[in-house]
Amino acid sequence: MVRRSRPVRRPSRSVQVLTAGVLAAGAAWLSGCGSTVDGVPVAVERSPVGERIDAQLITLLPEPSQFPARYPAVVLPPEAAAQAVGDLDGVARGATVEPADCAPPEQQYGPDHTAVAVGTSDADRATLTVELVRTRSPLSDLADQLRRCGEIRVTGAGPTTTVTTTVDRAPAVDADDALSLRRVVAPDVGGAGLTQRMHTHLAQIDDVRVLVTYMIFGDGPEDEAALRELFTTAVGKVAAA
């Protein structure tokens, strides 16, 4: 379940619609004095995502000290951030995706568009990554694409791979919307331990999308507790902005 306990910047969609309906009904009663008014209530068109969060994205990342202890972390510069995002999508820059309409949404990089911090556990060959993205697209659009594109083929940038994605419910967090996904990136040719497995929790807060991903190679156990802990931390910091 998704919840918002932080101070709310605007009424929720249900409150807005209810308020509009009450005001419209009141106006009709005053003007018609009990007469029947023809027509159907229509909700006012609204932006698909909330207002802009003015803080720089890099300042909204969890501090390296806030990562779980086993994952010493660093904040990535823009070029390295772009590479990390491609690894998490399973689609490197310049790669070709089949079906073509299953390619990840285009993303801009730079301090006002994307911020990434990565913590690494060398013992497990595992990483925990926090990615913050500024977007005007609702999280539901991404969820629809992911459900439609459960399996894709990626060629042209490194080894040819099959990327399989399944969508699930996210842990309850203080956000406008949230979901989880599991992703497996399997190369056509390769030895044991080259398959990349990821578990990502995503949340949308106004125009900032929060993605926290646990990634491991091979068949090692997943650190679900660390993933959930960092997701809660990352969402909480953005929600407090």
Side-chain angles (χ1 to χ4, degrees), residues 71-210:
Y71 299 87
V74 295
V75 176
L76 301 183
E79 184 63 26
Q83 181 177 343
V85 171
D87 289 341
L88 300 178
D89 286 337
V91 181
R93 286 186 297 176
T96 299
V97 174
E98 298 177 4
D101 63 350
C102 290
E106 290 189 12
Q107 187 167 328
Q108 293 180 290
Y109 297 93
D112 195 45
H113 302 289
T114 305
V116 178
V118 181
T120 303
S121 170
D122 291 332
D124 301 324
R125 294 184 66 207
T127 60
L128 275 174
T129 303
V130 178
E131 177 188 354
L132 303 182
V133 180
R134 199 176 294 280
T135 179
R136 297 304 303 173
S137 174
L139 188 57
S140 57
D141 284 358
L142 177 62
D144 290 343
Q145 184 195 45
L146 294 174
R147 291 188 179 99
R148 179 170 46 81
C149 301
E151 182 174 297
I152 63 175
R153 295 279 291 166
V154 180
T155 59
T160 298
T161 60
T162 298
V163 181
T164 305
T165 304
T166 56
V167 178
D168 200 356
R169 296 181 62 181
V173 285
D174 180 21
D176 298 321
D177 198 2
L179 63 89
S180 289
L181 64 88
R182 292 184 182 273
R183 180 170 282 148
V184 177
V185 181
D188 281 8
V189 179
L194 295 181
T195 297
Q196 185 178 329
R197 295 189 297 112
M198 289 164 280
H199 190 185
T200 302
H201 296 326
L202 305 89
Q204 185 93 15
I205 301 170
D206 290 331
D207 71 333
V208 175
R209 184 170 298 165
V210 181

